[in-house]
Amino acid sequence: MSAEVTTRTQASEGTRQPFGQRVRDWWNSRSRLEQWLMIIPVVVLVYLLPVMNFFPLSTEPWTDYELALFNAARLGLIALGLNVVLGQAGLLDLGYVGFFAVGAYVAAIMTSRDSFLTDPRYSWVVVVPVAIAITMVSGVVIGTPTLRLRGDYLAIVTLGFGEMVRLLADNLEPLRGNRGFQDVGGPPGTYANGSPIFTQGDGKPWYWLTVTFIIVILLLIGNLERSRVGRAWVAIREDEDVAEIMGVPTFRFKVWAFVIGAGIGGLSGVLYAGQVGFVNNQRFDVVTSILFVAAVVLGGSGNKLGVLLGALVISYLPDRFQLAPEYRFLIFGIALIVLMIFRPQGLLGARQRLLARGRQAYQRLVGKPEPVATESALIDSGKGTNA
Amino acid sequence: MALLELHSVSVAYGRIQALRDISLTVEEGEIVTLIGANGAGKTTTMKAISGLVPLSQGSIEFDGADISKVRADLRVVRGICQAPEGRGVFPGMTVRENLEMGCYTRRDRKAIAEDFDRVFELFPRLKERATQAGGTLSGGEQQMVAIGRALMARPRLLLLDEPSMGLAPQFIQQIFNIITEINKQGTTVLLVEQNAQQALSRAHRGYVLETGSVTRASTGKDLLADPAVKEAYLGVA
């Protein structure tokens, strides 16, 4: 067997590393300072996108360009949250739209004049933490019973819970069903002339606000991933039983993934409700949930930047190319299928760096950037476990 | 006082009774082996000890304390760690990351570094493959990872579930040598095996499991010499 192993090693050394891996190696071997120097212009560019309203970026005349950008960013935020649940911990949650709905409804109840609260004029600055807290609690409530299930069973039950949230909105009188809540509040702030900054017509401030949230959450989640929590999630995703007998409190970490994901979903619900200014029971169906999952899977489950890209593709492209609106979803569907054939791991595949301070540790150990075997399961995370 | 004691343990999967009234003890410093045919309940016994399946009856005592109701992850903290059947390597993690998962419950950095050295000394192959993904290793190497990873928890009791399964003959010999070596270094081992010949010749004591019950218990040598065991498990008529 040693002979067999040797030949295989030689073979894999002979083949060229895939492009993505070479990019990653190159990136990992830069110093922190160099990395930041390259990140900053990209971030500036992202912030400048709304003012670059010209060909080929613009989505006009079909869709308002700034609102299209806001919607893409909002879906990006959702994808980041779902990525914690689905990409990191490997829990297939088909009811994620439920958390989005909870966030939107909390914002509506706390700020709309249609609310059953006697004085529903809470400041948006208060609404955000309250909404996040309430969605996180709902994550615990939904997660505690369901996360004892695994795989397909978990998917079915979460699907049911997502529907339950929608049906509650349909049928509970205080939630006003189809009539919904008018005049949901947004963030405070006015221009010099006294007109409010955050209005329904102007997507720019909403986009900038959402991008800022995304950056903050990227930093927070990035730190979590590199911690013991992140390692536990990956272990659970790879093999839950083995994770447990290695001493990982699997149930607790699964609930945590659910709760953190829920909080981010709630936040994007608040942003959505504020921008649209109106919340009713129409936008929280299963199809929306599947769209969220599609953004994550398409972009590369487990890869933060990948899921952002996936969200951009799913939200921006249909807005950009509306030449034949009646074929829009047909083209979209075909594009998804083609992508799944050629990139089953998503646009950007996942590669977790699990070691705490992994970069430095690898540099010390082998004197070069952390390599991963080209046939690594993390690169092709669509495959099952080993034989 | 024994390190591990099972008192008439029963386990059921739904209505199917997998273990009936199993009692066994493992003394500190021993290698104890469980042998038996497929479906005799060997793996279920291991799962009951590591906490992956609940008991329907009986109790498990570890180091004098009843751990029957203790969560699996907390049993690791107490000093029980298992190398699961079918190896159960995390396929997407590198060898090093797999080993790091073994010391998930530990925070004593210095001792962890020592244990890395120890595992790499026992399995020099793993050092060569430290940055390779677990799923891309050969079967024997994955078995090394599974055993090494369990050792990284610095367990007082090491549970090994079929470490020789699917391995080439010369490799089986090597794995058993390493198990003996680990035991000599002071770790108590409970070993489940189909390879009865090897297991019994290495073990201090052995138990024979048949359809969920212990049918024989004796020293390894006596069981090797036992005509019924010979016929059933050693392929000697």
Side-chain angles (χ1 to χ4, degrees):
Chain A
M1 74 153 280
S2 61
E4 171 208 317
V5 169
T6 337
T7 43
R8 202 175 53 186
T9 317
Q10 279 162 356
S12 67
E13 275 165 5
T15 52
R16 223 164 124 79
Q17 294 258 313
F19 178 69
Q21 187 57 42
R22 274 180 288 139
V23 170
R24 228 172 323 216
D25 282 350
W26 176 82
W27 177 254
N28 286 341
S29 58
R30 300 298 104 185
S31 72
R32 269 272 184 257
L33 181 70
E34 283 177 300
Q35 289 183 346
W36 278 109
L37 285 179
M38 282 181 280
I39 289 172
I40 287 166
V42 174
V43 171
V44 170
L45 185 73
V46 167
Y47 272 105
L48 285 180
L49 273 179
V51 295
M52 297 195 280
N53 190 2
F54 42 70
F55 186 82
L57 290 174
S58 180
T59 53
E60 285 163 6
W62 307 292
T63 325
D64 182 281
Y65 176 60
E66 289 157 7
L67 285 181
L69 283 179
F70 164 69
N71 280 322
R74 185 176 55 82
L75 187 63
L77 189 60
I78 292 172
L80 266 187
L82 184 56
N83 184 47
V84 172
V85 184
L86 177 58
Q88 293 296 317
L91 308 165
L92 183 50
D93 181 359
L94 295 181
Y96 193 69
V97 73
F99 299 126
F100 178 63
V102 170
Y105 269 97
V106 170
I109 289 167
M110 286 179 72
T111 59
S112 164
R113 60 184 148 81
D114 298 326
S115 166
F116 54 84
L117 297 179
T118 43
D119 185 20
R121 280 280 148 200
Y122 291 96
S123 160
W124 198 79
V125 182
V126 180
V127 170
V128 169
V130 171
I132 291 177
I134 290 180
T135 9
M136 285 174 111
V137 171
S138 73
V140 176
V141 170
I142 293 176
T144 310
T146 53
L147 288 174
R148 301 192 186 275
L149 302 170
R150 293 184 186 182
D152 306 351
Y153 299 100
L154 178 69
I156 292 168
V157 173
T158 52
L159 189 67
F161 267 107
E163 276 295 271
M164 274 169 64
V165 172
R166 189 179 65 83
L167 290 171
L168 283 178
D170 274 352
N171 296 308
L172 277 187
E173 184 45 36
L175 296 182
R176 297 176 61 84
N178 210 0
R179 289 166 298 146
F181 296 85
Q182 304 279 351
D183 227 2
V184 179
T190 52
Y191 291 111
N193 64 6
S195 62
I197 297 174
F198 290 90
T199 59
Q200 284 152 37
D202 185 5
K204 253 184 294 191
W206 290 102
Y207 171 76
W208 285 326
L209 180 67
T210 312
V211 168
T212 309
F213 273 124
I214 287 178
I215 290 171
V216 171
I217 285 171
L218 272 178
L219 293 174
L220 291 179
I221 302 259
N223 278 329
L224 261 186
E225 279 174 11
R226 284 187 292 275
S227 71
R228 288 165 57 80
V229 181
R231 279 201 294 163
W233 283 339
V234 176
I236 291 168
R237 183 184 68 201
E238 296 228 318
D239 194 326
E240 201 174 326
D241 276 341
V242 178
E244 198 161 349
I245 55 178
M246 290 300 119
V248 178
T250 51
F251 181 67
R252 191 191 303 165
F253 279 122
K254 286 199 291 181
V255 173
W256 265 115
F258 224 64
V259 166
I260 291 169
I264 299 172
L267 172 63
S268 51
V270 175
L271 287 169
Y272 167 76
Q275 193 276 322
V276 178
F278 174 71
V279 173
N280 74 356
N281 57 3
Q282 293 303 301
R283 278 303 299 274
F284 308 114
D285 50 358
V286 179
V287 177
T288 316
S289 240
I290 301 294
L291 200 70
F292 296 165
V293 175
V296 172
V297 174
L298 185 76
S301 190
N303 183 318
K304 296 187 295 290
L305 295 179
V307 302
L308 288 177
L309 194 63
L312 189 70
V313 167
I314 282 204
S315 175
Y316 172 80
L317 285 190
D319 283 342
R320 173 70 182 81
F321 300 102
Q322 285 201 330
L323 295 167
E326 62 270 42
Y327 297 120
R328 192 177 152 192
F329 280 102
L330 179 69
I331 295 168
F332 184 54
I334 291 173
L336 283 187
I337 293 169
V338 169
L339 195 86
M340 285 299 119
I341 291 170
F342 292 105
R343 292 287 297 175
Q345 68 276 49
L347 291 169
L348 303 180
R351 164 68 193 135
Q352 314 297 335
R353 270 186 290 119
L354 292 159
L355 297 162
R357 291 164 297 283
R359 239 150 42 94
Q360 291 86 334
Y362 269 99
Q363 294 274 13
R364 262 204 312 275
L365 191 72
V366 284
K368 57 177 177 154
E370 171 187 8
V372 181
T374 47
E375 64 271 45
S376 162
L378 282 181
I379 291 166
D380 187 357
S381 52
K383 274 186 191 154
T385 53
N386 54 304
Chain B
M1 184 181 60
L3 184 61
L4 177 80
E5 282 180 69
L6 272 64
H7 301 293
S8 33
V9 165
S10 299
V11 171
Y13 296 113
R15 265 194 275 170
I16 299 161
Q17 188 87 8
L19 294 184
R20 275 189 209 90
D21 226 13
I22 298 253
S23 293
L24 61 87
T25 56
V26 179
E27 301 285 341
E28 188 118 40
E30 277 187 320
I31 298 181
V32 174
T33 184
L34 281 179
I35 59 171
N38 286 329
K42 305 188 299 286
T43 295
T44 306
T45 311
M46 290 304 227
K47 283 186 172 170
I49 298 170
S50 58
L52 287 179
V53 295
L55 310 185
S56 54
Q57 261 164 42
S59 67
I60 299 177
E61 243 176 68
F62 181 71
D63 198 21
D66 185 355
I67 58 162
S68 319
K69 298 270 186 278
V70 174
R71 283 205 322 257
D73 56 288
L74 296 179
R75 294 188 197 194
V76 179
V77 179
R78 285 176 186 244
I80 302 180
C81 200
Q82 185 182 349
E85 187 189 20
R87 307 186 264 271
V89 165
F90 296 112
M93 295 190 193
T94 65
V95 168
R96 199 182 164 83
E97 288 161 348
N98 263 287
L99 295 178
E100 292 221 331
M101 281 314 296
C103 45
Y104 189 80
T105 56
R106 298 174 54 191
R107 288 170 193 279
D108 43 343
R109 282 164 185 272
K110 218 176 140 202
I112 287 174
E114 283 168 25
D115 283 356
F116 261 112
D117 292 341
R118 178 185 169 211
V119 168
F120 283 145
E121 206 172 290
L122 280 170
F123 304 103
R125 192 54 144 302
L126 295 188
K127 192 164 191 176
E128 294 164 27
R129 304 236 175 271
T131 57
Q132 194 174 325
T136 66
L137 300 176
S138 74
E141 289 165 336
Q142 290 192 10
Q143 190 61 61
M144 294 179 190
V145 172
I147 297 174
R149 190 180 56 187
L151 282 177
M152 289 303 293
R154 206 174 258 201
R156 298 182 59 193
L157 175 64
L158 176 66
L159 305 176
L160 296 174
D161 198 348
E162 306 244 5
S164 75
M165 190 166 71
L167 297 187
Q170 93 260 32
F171 219 77
I172 293 179
Q173 194 64 39
Q174 198 184 333
I175 287 278
F176 275 105
N177 285 340
I178 288 168
I179 294 169
T180 314
E181 175 61 29
I182 290 168
N183 178 250
K184 282 205 185 112
Q185 292 178 7
T187 308
T188 310
V189 178
L190 178 59
L191 172 69
V192 155
E193 260 301 343
Q194 294 220 29
N195 190 331
Q197 174 73 46
Q198 277 284 352
L200 288 174
S201 60
R202 305 276 177 164
H204 300 101
R205 290 186 303 114
Y207 292 85
V208 178
L209 272 180
E210 273 170 36
T211 58
S213 306
V214 174
T215 52
R216 274 188 164 69
S218 187
T219 64
K221 275 201 192 82
D222 287 354
L223 285 176
L224 265 181
D226 187 321
V229 173
K230 266 188 177 164
E231 189 177 353
Y233 303 106
L234 303 175
V236 186

